Amino acid sequence: MRTINVDSKIVEVRKMKVLLDSDVAALYGVETKRINEAVKNNIDKFPKGYIISLNSKEIKDLRSKISTANNNSKTRVLPKAFTEKGLYMLATILKSPKATQTTLAIIETFAKIRELTRTVGELSKTTTKEEKQPLMQKSGEIMADILGDSLNISETETSFEINLAVMNIKHTVKRK
């Protein structure tokens, strides 16, 4: 169902999962300045913790980690990052059909990330193989669901492997 690739745009800033204003704008199909205008015109809907104003060091760190044309150094305004709460609030002021579709994709992605976090947390507390197996399966399914649309399938197979502190997830897609 989800055709919008939200998961690849989520970054971590100040130990929070966020979306940069330029990526939010790209997801909604508008210019970054339109997103920031919507926020400015509804400032009462965005209390502290809903939007983060990035500082120069954070921008430099992001540039070294990700390469994106939207994150260029020619902008006169420091980028902002929307927390999950900020994205939900933004959804209340953007009303187009594309905005609705994008909002649903964002909500589903963050919900899956929270579910994966809970499952991995449970996995770290379990001790028996019988308890771990279903949790590992569930974690793998969530990861495949989150990353599924962004996997490129070759003529034979595509694999990805994620090594988390308490488990190692490997997912292989074979084309018949």
Side-chain angles (χ1 to χ4, degrees):
M1 175 183 164
R2 181 174 54 92
T3 58
I4 299 171
N5 194 4
V6 176
D7 48 290
S8 67
K9 302 207 180 295
I10 297 173
V11 295
E12 190 167 312
V13 175
R14 300 180 198 168
K15 298 185 181 184
M16 291 184 280
K17 303 285 188 203
V18 298
L19 285 174
L20 300 177
D21 57 359
S22 57
D23 289 333
V24 172
L27 289 168
Y28 280 104
V30 299
E31 295 177 13
T32 304
K33 69 180 181 178
R34 298 295 172 226
I35 294 294
N36 290 322
E37 284 173 1
V39 170
K40 186 177 176 182
N41 293 334
N42 295 276
I43 199 69
D44 58 316
K45 292 187 175 191
F46 296 93
K48 184 178 180 179
Y50 282 53
I51 298 176
I52 299 169
S53 294
L54 301 178
N55 61 42
S56 303
K57 183 186 181 317
E58 290 166 332
I59 295 165
K60 185 179 178 183
D61 289 346
L62 284 174
R63 281 193 190 118
S64 69
K65 290 178 188 172
I66 57 174
S67 61
T68 173
N70 294 335
N71 191 13
N72 66 45
S73 59
K74 295 178 183 175
T75 183
R76 289 179 279 154
V77 179
L78 291 175
K80 293 175 181 51
F82 286 82
T83 64
E84 185 176 356
K85 292 184 228 175
L87 290 164
Y88 292 151
M89 192 53 71
L90 183 63
T92 69
I93 59 178
L94 301 176
K95 301 294 182 189
S96 72
K98 171 126 176 133
T100 301
Q101 181 185 13
T102 300
T103 299
L104 291 172
I106 289 169
I107 290 169
E108 288 180 27
T109 300
F110 273 101
K112 288 173 188 168
I113 290 170
R114 276 194 312 278
E115 184 179 2
L116 180 62
T117 301
R118 282 192 300 271
T119 304
V120 170
E122 288 176 38
L123 189 59
S124 68
K125 295 174 188 170
T126 60
T127 56
T128 68
K129 186 175 181 178
E130 293 78 26
E131 292 173 324
K132 285 186 179 195
Q133 186 61 36
L135 291 172
M136 289 178 67
Q137 170 121 14
K138 184 177 179 181
S139 297
E141 289 169 1
I142 296 168
M143 290 296 298
D145 194 29
I146 291 172
L147 300 174
D149 292 343
S150 61
L151 289 177
N152 294 323
I153 300 174
S154 68
E155 289 183 11
T156 55
E157 71 181 41
T158 300
S159 295
F160 72 88
E161 191 168 334
I162 299 174
N163 189 0
L164 302 171
V166 293
M167 67 180 200
N168 192 19
I169 298 172
K170 183 172 183 180
H171 179 73
T172 302
V173 177
K174 293 184 181 180
R175 178 179 262 175
K176 295 181 179 179

